Amino acid sequence: MTSAPLAARLTRVAGPLFFPVTAYGPDGGLGLDAFRAHVRGGVDAGAAAVFACCGTGEFHALDPEEYRRCVAAAVEETAGRVPVVAGAGYGTALATRYARIAEEEGADGLLAMPPYLVVADQEGLVRHYTELTAATSLETIVYQRDNALFTPATVVALARNEKIVGLKDGHGDLDLMQRTVSTVRRELPGREFLYFNGLPTAELTGLAYRGLGITLYSSAVFAFAPDIALAFHRALTTGDDATAVRLLDGFFVPLVELRNLGRGYAVSLVKAGVRLAGLDVGEVRPPLREPRADHLKALAELVEHGRTLLPAGEDA
């Protein structure tokens, strides 16, 4: 953990937000050496933050002790160079337990994932996140998706909580996001509240979210092709739309089409990509499954093609 507030460190970033996969060994247990190498490589490549044990990191598949060891390893490997944000989810009791573990191991903040299974009303969701944030001193980003969808008024209520510093949107309703941003701005003038594009393969909607003023995003591609992810991030943030469109049409759109061929590919295809890049992080745990062989071949060919689209001097 560093002394600088998480929100301040994420307000303006020079690289993508890195969501490392969780590595497993041949016996199915944690592969901490590979995980450490993965985190270290991402930070060295230019990640702006490490989001450990979140969706791409198979939070759902980790027991509390495994979670503790992964968060501790991520904190140690980043060594304060970038913030470490740890996932926390399930029902309120378990979410607060994971949050306390993350704080004990030195994380800089939390990504609060949707509560398990329950479809709650807005009042119940506010109560859930209020209790979660009260459990630690950590700043928290709330993840909107699936059964945790918020009205603009609810986001205002969440933003009144000083420990809740941002909203990660994995829902993708741009009309709702514009109304949310506008309502928070109107109701809480001067409040520095962060918004993140958290859709799978967020680069695909990067130009659209940029139009809303939302430039922070999670990059799954950074986990296995950081050069391509960084090239797109530079293009998006500098207004080089020609490069952004070239990468969208030639790499990111085909990647999304490949990702959509299998359930759970938003995680298992990314993990396969890390292995293709030369780091043995093992396979995904059930109930996820590995991608088909022909899909792996297509992924390898797509990454190779993506590198031909990079601006001169940025190819691998």
Side-chain angles (χ1 to χ4, degrees):
M1 178 182 286
T2 62
S3 57
L6 176 65
R9 298 184 74 186
L10 291 180
T11 297
R12 293 179 181 83
V13 298
L17 306 178
F18 175 33
F19 285 66
V21 302
T22 297
Y24 306 127
D27 63 353
L30 286 182
L32 279 180
D33 288 344
F35 178 72
R36 287 176 176 276
H38 186 40
V39 171
R40 189 166 58 249
V43 175
D44 289 345
V50 172
F51 283 68
C53 305
C54 296
T56 307
E58 296 179 80
F59 171 78
H60 69 277
L62 301 174
D63 67 32
E65 183 55 32
E66 291 175 324
Y67 174 87
R68 179 184 295 278
R69 294 169 67 195
C70 284
V71 173
V75 170
E76 184 174 338
E77 291 301 327
T78 59
R81 289 183 288 169
V82 299
V84 174
V85 179
Y90 302 122
T92 307
L94 272 178
T96 55
R97 179 181 178 188
Y98 280 97
R100 290 186 181 111
I101 292 172
E103 183 175 43
E104 290 165 5
E105 299 305 328
D108 296 282
L110 300 171
L111 177 64
M113 291 180 284
Y116 173 71
L117 195 59
V118 175
V119 178
D121 62 19
Q122 299 294 293
E123 182 181 351
L125 288 169
V126 171
R127 181 181 175 189
H128 169 76
Y129 295 110
T130 299
E131 292 190 20
L132 173 59
T133 56
T136 75
S137 64
L138 297 179
E139 292 175 287
T140 298
I141 299 162
V142 174
Y143 194 2
Q144 169 170 263
R145 59 174 291 173
D146 301 327
N147 59 319
L149 303 180
F150 311 116
T151 66
T154 294
V155 178
V156 169
L158 293 172
R160 292 187 190 279
N161 183 336
E162 292 186 357
K163 289 184 183 176
I164 297 178
V165 298
L167 175 71
K168 178 183 178 184
D169 179 45
H171 181 49
D173 184 335
L174 294 183
D175 176 275
L176 174 61
M177 282 305 298
Q178 181 62 76
R179 289 187 288 113
T180 296
V181 171
S182 295
T183 302
V184 172
R185 189 163 51 218
R186 183 180 65 247
E187 296 295 325
L188 301 175
R191 172 69 156 109
E192 295 291 337
F193 197 67
L194 302 176
Y195 299 94
F196 304 76
N197 175 357
L199 291 171
T201 317
E203 287 90 347
L204 193 67
T205 52
L207 292 171
Y209 275 81
R210 190 184 67 184
L212 301 181
I214 299 171
T215 57
L216 292 167
Y217 64 91
S218 53
S219 176
V221 170
F222 186 85
F224 63 89
D227 50 345
I228 299 175
L230 284 165
F232 182 85
H233 185 272
R234 279 191 290 269
L236 186 69
T237 55
T238 62
D240 180 5
D241 287 1
T243 296
V245 168
R246 184 171 68 251
L247 288 169
L248 281 170
D249 293 350
F251 177 77
F252 287 103
V253 169
L255 177 64
V256 169
E257 291 170 348
L258 179 60
R259 185 200 73 205
N260 290 344
L261 294 178
R263 289 187 178 275
Y265 271 20
V267 176
S268 62
L269 199 69
V270 172
K271 198 164 195 179
V274 177
R275 295 196 304 270
L276 288 171
L279 183 61
D280 186 3
V281 289
E283 298 185 350
V284 290
R285 284 178 172 174
L288 296 177
R289 66 170 178 84
E290 287 298 300
R292 286 173 16 187
D294 58 327
H295 294 165
L296 293 178
K297 181 175 182 292
L299 177 62
E301 292 172 349
L302 183 56
V303 171
E304 183 178 356
H305 176 66
R307 291 191 168 121
T308 70
L309 306 173
L310 297 179
E314 294 188 16
D315 53 313

